[in-house]
Amino acid sequence: MPAINRKLIQDDPWQKIYPKREGKQHLFSSLAFFKGNEHPLKLSFIQLNHPEGKVEGLLKLENTGIPHSVPTGDYGYREVVVTVELLDNAGRVIALKQESLFVELKTALPYQGKKNIPFSFAGSKTGFMIKATMVRTSFNKEKNTLLAEATYHL
């Protein structure tokens, strides 16, 4: 993570009180990091049940290898969307659940932290597979980066 020197500029009235000073920012290149570490985030299905036409369980998220919270940062839009989908035999989505992780809402996954996301789907008679993804997305949802993925065949 190379350091970048930049001037800290503060708004009125603070710029009259405090002088401008040097600051540092480092950039975390997720794509370069994932090349050397194939599974820094782990997704796993636990406590799966199939009661009377339902699929219930927990998706366990683990940050085992990224030395930051996920998502992380002070600048820009930071959202990670976790999606759990129930798919049929053709791969079409029957039902889904999404949950967003944000730094500001204190829902980010810390380094070496774990989080469980409960899910429950009706219609498991037509369901064939459960798929979970963790995607970092941009503000306008145009750029998505897949961080982790897991599947479970019913």
Side-chain angles (χ1 to χ4, degrees):
M1 293 182 265
I4 297 173
N5 287 324
R6 59 185 170 84
K7 293 274 187 188
L8 292 178
I9 300 172
Q10 296 161 341
D11 296 329
D12 275 332
W14 306 113
Q15 64 184 341
K16 294 180 175 94
I17 300 170
Y18 298 104
K20 293 179 185 174
R21 56 189 166 88
E22 288 286 325
K24 284 194 175 185
Q25 171 191 13
H26 70 274
L27 300 176
F28 179 71
S29 174
S30 62
L31 296 178
F33 182 78
F34 279 100
K35 287 179 185 174
N37 189 353
E38 291 184 26
H39 303 289
L41 297 170
K42 292 183 181 177
L43 302 179
S44 55
F45 295 101
I46 57 174
Q47 299 178 4
L48 282 173
N49 297 314
H50 304 268
E52 301 178 18
K54 283 185 165 182
V55 176
E56 299 175 336
L58 295 174
L59 175 66
K60 183 177 181 182
L61 314 174
E62 294 181 79
N63 180 358
T64 58
I66 297 178
H68 286 278
S69 293
V70 175
T72 189
D74 294 330
Y75 302 100
Y77 185 76
R78 297 161 317 278
E79 178 185 10
V80 169
V81 179
V82 179
T83 306
V84 182
E85 300 172 324
L86 178 64
L87 306 174
D88 65 8
N89 291 339
R92 293 182 297 251
V93 177
I94 298 170
L96 68 87
K97 178 179 181 176
Q98 285 188 326
E99 189 167 315
S100 293
L101 306 179
F102 291 98
V103 173
E104 295 83 4
L105 297 177
K106 301 193 184 326
T107 57
L109 184 63
Y111 176 52
Q112 296 183 339
K114 298 176 184 176
K115 180 179 179 118
N116 292 330
I117 297 177
F119 61 89
S120 178
F121 300 125
S124 70
K125 292 179 183 176
T126 58
F128 175 71
M129 180 173 64
I130 302 172
K131 179 180 177 182
T133 56
M134 240 178 132
V135 175
R136 185 174 193 276
T137 186
S138 62
F139 178 71
N140 54 7
K141 310 281 191 225
E142 288 180 359
K143 184 179 178 186
N144 295 320
T145 305
L146 181 65
L147 301 175
E149 184 176 37
T151 57
Y152 180 83
H153 292 276
L154 299 174

